[in-house]
Amino acid sequence: MFISRSALRAVATPLRAQRPVPALRYLRTTSGPTPPPSAASQAPNPASPDPSQPAAEPHRETQTGKTLSGESLPPLSADKPVETPSAPGGSSPDPTPSSAASSAASPASQVPPVDALSTRQNSIAEAFLDLHPDVAPRSEEEMRGSQFPGEKTGAKARGAGKSSIEKKRANLARAAGVMTVAGLAWAVYDLGKDWADVEEQKKMFARSDDKQAIEEAQEGGWLGWWGRLKIRAADHLDYLNKPAWDPLLPPPLPEPHYRPYTLVIDLEDMLTHDNWDLEHGWRTAKRPGADYFLAYMSQFYEIVLFTTLPSYLALPVIEQLDPYGAYIPWKLFKEATRYKNGMNIKDLSYLNRPLERTIILDTNPARFQLQPTNGIPMKPWMGTKGDTTANELVAMIPFLEAIAIKQVKDVRPIIKHYEGKHIPTAYMEAEAKTKKELLEKWEQQKKDTSVKGWISRLFGGLTSTTMSDAPPETDIERMRKTAQKLYQDEQKYWKDNAEIIQKQIEEDKQRQLKEMSTSLVGVMGFKPPPSAAPAQ
């Protein structure tokens, strides 16, 4: 607390004339509140220096600044009053009643202790900065260094003093580094080695869309090695975007179910169309001629229904299209697609079928972007009345059956030839042209009256004469008649035996449900619904 000037004046008044007044020093303690200054204490009262007093000691320099120590200040005694300096001119003001009252009311505890400044403890920061050797400034000798040439620094040589465990760790680290480098070298060699066979080459070329790498892989030497390395590395890095399994289909069926050609068709907007309205909700419409297309083309092609829909959405619709499973032997769903360029595509190289005998029909050309020469884009059928695209699917039958009848070795050049054209119209024109040329040739043979023609007809007999009287047919027309007859016989068989076939299907379902009780699913507690439980 502070001792007010009025109190000091009251104590020092009797002794003012007897002794000189020293300079007043204000002391501060750490306990007790500070009283508010009075009006008398705020009056200016400069201290006058006494020439008879000895000079004060110089301040000691520290790292925290100029801090006065206890020895540099004279002690204060409690038994001697503290005098205040006299006013200019030798006159001293009379004490006011307020100052006398305040001095009389001041308790003895307000008197500062003896040697208060000398006994004050420094703060932690002052003690640390003044006394800690790490903070003290370094001398010039320490800055220059005290080591002379030839003296030991105490450093150890590399590897000296290592324990056996540290040495083992270092050896293991070296061995791991060598094995890593060797593994990378072997991986680079394995990725760039020659193709195992022609099938691997075709498959890798079909799955890659890097045309430059394909061209390099077809070259020899280091350039071919570099191309194979890029193709195989891209195939490995694309693991998460690949179909769920490889290959997607098992080997082809044996005879008599074997078909040399594979036809991949879409479901949505190709065979069916989904529509929703307020009155009926969701409904699925079947495209006109879809049943005929599937039944007739199954005689020439192995049909694969490949859709981007999940299986739980597509299977109920497929069962309505092919209830007996006679026309669509294979069904592939969304998990069989490949994710590339931000969409699910259909990669035909995973089908385990030769691409030179595979055709895909789809409403979106981007779905077969990796094999564009195998695909025929179709206009989507929207399920509306009077849609001109409703008969486009049936109109594709003559073109597709001609490829199978002619036993084309590679379908891709033929599809490339019809690129950008309306295939049903363009093919019918080509077939009509072939038919016209055949009829013209037949007419020319009928008009041939030369001796060679007469002799050939004479030795040809009745059969030759009978055949020449009827217009000739092309190979495609003869095979088409045979296929139409087989289709009609097959439809008649399904119609006549529909009840028997349906009964067999139900018996198979009941048998499978009955076997569930002895299977792992039955042991786990999964039982068939009551409506589908087998009759006892």
Side-chain angles (χ1 to χ4, degrees):
M1 62 181 61
F2 292 95
I3 301 175
S4 62
R5 292 184 179 182
S6 59
L8 294 178
R9 289 194 189 99
V11 175
T13 300
L15 303 176
R16 185 176 301 164
Q18 300 178 6
R19 53 185 301 180
V21 181
L24 179 63
R25 294 183 177 88
Y26 297 95
L27 303 179
R28 181 175 61 186
T29 61
T30 57
S31 62
T34 303
S38 61
S41 63
Q42 296 180 1
N45 189 14
S48 58
D50 189 0
S52 62
Q53 296 293 333
E57 296 180 2
H59 299 302
R60 181 172 60 90
E61 294 289 341
T62 62
Q63 294 185 11
T64 57
K66 296 181 179 181
T67 304
L68 297 177
S69 62
E71 292 79 8
S72 62
L73 297 176
L76 296 177
S77 178
D79 55 354
K80 293 182 180 181
V82 180
E83 298 181 0
T84 58
S86 59
S91 62
S92 60
D94 295 334
T96 60
S98 60
S99 62
S102 62
S103 62
S106 299
S109 60
Q110 295 182 358
V111 179
V114 180
D115 298 335
L117 188 59
S118 61
T119 58
R120 183 178 67 86
Q121 295 182 356
N122 294 340
S123 63
I124 297 176
E126 291 175 350
F128 180 85
L129 294 175
D130 290 342
L131 303 177
H132 201 281
D134 293 342
V135 184
R138 301 176 63 185
S139 62
E140 294 182 1
E141 183 179 358
E142 291 175 343
M143 296 294 292
R144 290 194 304 268
S146 59
Q147 299 294 337
F148 293 93
E151 292 186 359
K152 296 182 179 180
T153 60
K156 295 182 180 180
R158 180 179 297 179
K162 287 187 177 181
S163 63
S164 59
I165 296 179
E166 292 177 345
K167 292 180 180 179
K168 288 181 180 179
R169 290 176 179 173
N171 294 334
L172 288 175
R174 296 190 189 98
V178 172
M179 293 178 63
T180 302
V181 173
L184 291 175
W186 178 85
V188 170
Y189 164 76
D190 186 68
L191 292 175
K193 66 181 181 181
D194 293 334
W195 307 113
D197 49 23
V198 180
E199 293 298 328
E200 182 189 6
Q201 180 182 3
K202 293 180 179 179
K203 181 176 67 175
M204 298 305 296
F205 284 175
R207 295 181 181 181
S208 176
D209 56 350
D210 191 350
K211 297 181 179 180
Q212 182 180 0
I214 294 175
E215 294 176 357
E216 293 174 351
Q218 293 175 348
E219 301 292 336
W222 287 102
L223 188 60
W225 174 85
W226 177 246
R228 293 189 296 270
L229 173 65
K230 291 195 295 184
I231 293 175
R232 286 195 176 108
D235 184 68
H236 285 293
L237 294 176
D238 198 39
Y239 176 78
L240 296 178
N241 298 326
K242 292 181 180 180
W245 55 89
D246 183 18
L248 294 175
L249 299 179
L253 298 174
E255 293 289 353
H257 306 286
Y258 172 74
R259 301 291 184 270
Y261 295 91
T262 303
L263 179 63
V264 182
I265 59 175
D266 197 5
L267 178 63
E268 59 272 19
D269 296 339
M270 173 72 71
L271 300 177
T272 61
H273 178 75
D274 296 332
N275 189 23
W276 184 89
D277 54 21
L278 291 174
E279 182 179 358
H280 304 92
W282 281 105
R283 292 188 301 173
T284 301
K286 182 170 60 176
R287 188 170 190 165
D291 295 333
Y292 172 71
F293 178 85
L294 294 174
Y296 185 78
M297 296 310 300
S298 63
Q299 301 179 95
F300 302 97
Y301 290 86
E302 179 188 30
I303 297 180
V304 179
L305 197 149
F306 201 164
T307 176
T308 56
L309 294 176
S311 58
Y312 62 87
L313 293 178
L315 272 177
V317 180
I318 297 174
E319 290 178 354
Q320 296 294 326
L321 291 173
D322 186 17
Y324 303 145
Y327 308 136
I328 308 176
W330 312 115
K331 297 97 175 173
L332 298 176
F333 307 100
K334 185 177 181 179
E335 57 270 14
T337 59
R338 179 181 177 184
Y339 190 80
K340 192 175 183 65
N341 297 330
M343 63 181 303
N344 294 319
I345 65 173
K346 303 172 183 179
D347 194 347
L348 303 181
S349 63
Y350 286 87
L351 294 181
N352 195 23
R353 298 294 185 269
L355 292 179
E356 59 269 17
R357 295 197 300 270
T358 302
I359 300 175
I360 178 173
L361 303 179
D362 204 293
T363 57
N364 187 1
R367 299 292 184 189
F368 51 86
Q369 56 183 271
L370 293 182
Q371 296 87 22
T373 55
N374 291 87
I376 300 176
M378 301 283 293
K379 293 182 179 180
W381 177 65
M382 306 310 296
T384 57
K385 293 182 179 180
D387 191 351
T388 57
T389 62
N391 297 325
E392 289 292 323
L393 188 63
V394 177
M396 287 293 299
I397 291 179
F399 173 76
L400 296 174
E401 69 177 358
I403 292 178
I405 292 173
K406 289 294 185 180
Q407 299 181 1
V408 177
K409 293 183 178 180
D410 195 343
V411 301
R412 290 172 291 189
I414 298 177
I415 297 176
K416 184 69 175 178
H417 174 73
Y418 285 94
E419 184 179 4
K421 302 178 182 178
H422 186 249
I423 293 181
T425 304
Y427 174 74
M428 291 303 296
E429 293 176 356
E431 186 175 349
K433 182 179 179 181
T434 303
K435 179 71 173 180
K436 182 179 179 181
E437 292 176 355
L438 181 62
L439 291 176
E440 290 177 354
K441 185 177 180 180
W442 176 71
E443 292 289 344
Q444 185 66 27
Q445 289 178 354
K446 286 182 63 176
K447 296 179 180 179
D448 189 4
T449 57
S450 62
V451 177
K452 182 178 179 181
W454 180 81
I455 294 175
S456 61
R457 288 195 299 271
L458 178 63
F459 287 96
L462 181 62
T463 304
S464 176
T465 305
T466 305
M467 291 295 296
S468 62
D469 292 339
E473 294 180 346
T474 61
D475 297 338
I476 296 177
E477 289 177 339
R478 288 195 297 268
M479 290 297 300
R480 187 175 295 160
K481 287 183 178 181
T482 304
Q484 289 289 342
K485 187 176 185 306
L486 291 176
Y487 165 75
Q488 294 175 359
D489 294 343
E490 186 179 40
Q491 294 300 311
K492 184 176 182 300
Y493 172 81
W494 294 120
K495 184 177 181 180
D496 295 342
N497 300 276
E499 295 182 0
I500 300 175
I501 296 173
Q502 190 66 30
K503 183 179 179 180
Q504 291 178 353
I505 293 175
E506 291 297 330
E507 290 177 355
D508 290 340
K509 289 182 179 180
Q510 299 297 337
R511 178 178 53 81
Q512 293 175 3
L513 292 174
K514 186 177 181 179
E515 291 176 353
M516 284 181 62
S517 59
T518 59
S519 63
L520 179 61
V521 178
V523 173
M524 294 173 62
F526 295 97
K527 297 181 180 180
S531 59
Q536 300 295 336

